Amino acid sequence: MRPLLHPSLDDIPPEAILHALADPDRAAMFIKIMTDGCVGACSALSSLGDRVIPKSSLSNHFKVLREAGLIRSERHGVEVRNHPRCKEVEARYPGLLEGIINAYAAAGRAPAATVVEE
Amino acid sequence: MRPLLHPSLDDIPPEAILHALADPDRAAMFIKIMTDGCVGACSALSSLGDRVIPKSSLSNHFKVLREAGLIRSERHGVEVRNHPRCKEVEARYPGLLEGIINAYAAAGRAPAATVVEE
DNA sequence: GCACTAGTTCCAGATTCCCGAACCATGGGA
DNA sequence: TCCCATGGTTCGGGAATCTGGAACTAGTGC
């Protein structure tokens, strides 16, 4: 089990964030992590509409979000807790997250949410 | 030669725009179209840094941008002119384009530019 | 008609994505 | 202590997507 990577926002190019959030499932996961403040991986499973996302896909989605600097994952015993890194992203790319989250909200796929709070 | 498609912004989900701009080449192309106001496909070829992008790839990139509602392409004789659809995008997804363009600018990959002007 | 330019389409190889199966790590019981 | 359940990761292979060269089309001028 290799350790969880958390690159600095300085090392993350814009396209990594765009690519991570260009997938509706990942975007939904991230929005949930953002609004809830903290989410365990499997807890997210049940909540993404009625579709069931396989564990391996979920795990991979979390990895993509993590390596795009969007979330921070910590192992707590047997489970992993995921926290948003909104403030850091906002500091590096002001307005980016807000624009994206609002876009999903405008498309009726996310609750309208204040972005920068963690 | 099939006709050029220009879907309404209402039919374009946020992920299509994110996906289109998640590619650095496409983003550079779009930023050039945006700042210049209008760009022919082959003119963009020479200007993307020192790398040479094959015509077929360019053509495909333009198609992706077009189908993401980001540009409007018109045939004028032998050449195609591409115009940005910033206003429409902004109306549908406020702040999205600005966030993305500023992010590329913050990463030193685009000139800082005012977004909504066409 | 012919040649030239601008761009598109086709297709095959490379790359990436998806997800089931197998695996690992931790925290309880019995 | 040994086992098992839980929560997650890794592996591997088929599907889907991306890339770019070659061939093609469409317009323009001679």
Side-chain angles (χ1 to χ4, degrees):
Chain A
M1 198 95 48
R2 52 194 79 145
L4 302 170
L5 288 180
H6 292 101
S8 155
L9 259 293
D10 292 339
D11 297 331
I12 293 173
E15 59 263 33
I17 295 178
L18 295 179
H19 173 253
L21 295 179
D23 181 293
D25 289 341
R26 276 198 297 264
M29 289 166 65
F30 177 66
I31 288 167
K32 180 150 186 57
I33 292 173
M34 234 185 51
T35 53
D36 291 11
C38 166
V39 147
C42 272
S43 345
L45 193 149
S46 53
S47 58
L48 247 58
D50 41 5
R51 288 183 36 242
V52 174
I53 302 178
K55 281 206 301 180
S56 56
S57 304
L58 262 188
S59 181
N60 187 56
H61 283 330
F62 276 109
K63 185 179 170 209
V64 172
L65 290 173
R66 195 160 53 235
E67 296 182 351
L70 291 167
I71 61 174
R72 184 178 302 281
S73 310
E74 293 164 6
R75 296 191 208 278
H76 281 257
V78 73
E79 73 175 10
V80 172
R81 293 192 203 142
N82 298 284
H83 304 267
R85 295 177 72 186
C86 301
K87 273 185 188 157
E88 291 168 80
V89 179
E90 173 67 14
R92 174 93 173 101
Y93 298 124
L96 181 59
L97 274 187
E98 193 169 1
I100 296 174
I101 302 305
N102 285 345
Y104 275 107
R109 310 253 217 86
T114 320
V115 170
V116 185
E117 46 173 309
E118 33 188 289
Chain B
M1 200 88 56
R2 51 194 82 144
L4 302 170
L5 288 180
H6 293 100
S8 155
L9 261 292
D10 293 339
D11 297 331
I12 292 172
E15 59 264 32
I17 295 178
L18 295 179
H19 173 253
L21 295 179
D23 181 292
D25 288 342
R26 275 197 296 265
M29 289 166 65
F30 177 66
I31 288 167
K32 180 150 187 56
I33 292 173
M34 234 184 51
T35 52
D36 291 11
C38 167
V39 146
C42 272
S43 347
L45 193 150
S46 52
S47 58
L48 247 59
D50 41 5
R51 287 182 38 242
V52 174
I53 301 177
K55 282 205 302 179
S56 57
S57 303
L58 263 187
S59 181
N60 187 56
H61 283 330
F62 276 109
K63 184 178 170 211
V64 172
L65 290 173
R66 196 162 51 235
E67 294 181 355
L70 291 167
I71 61 173
R72 185 178 302 281
S73 310
E74 293 164 7
R75 296 191 206 278
H76 281 259
V78 73
E79 72 175 11
V80 173
R81 294 193 202 140
N82 298 284
H83 303 266
R85 294 176 72 184
C86 300
K87 274 186 187 155
E88 289 167 81
V89 179
E90 173 68 15
R92 175 92 173 101
Y93 299 125
L96 181 59
L97 274 188
E98 193 169 0
I100 296 174
I101 303 304
N102 285 344
Y104 276 106
R109 309 253 219 87
T114 320
V115 171
V116 185
E117 45 174 309
E118 38 187 288

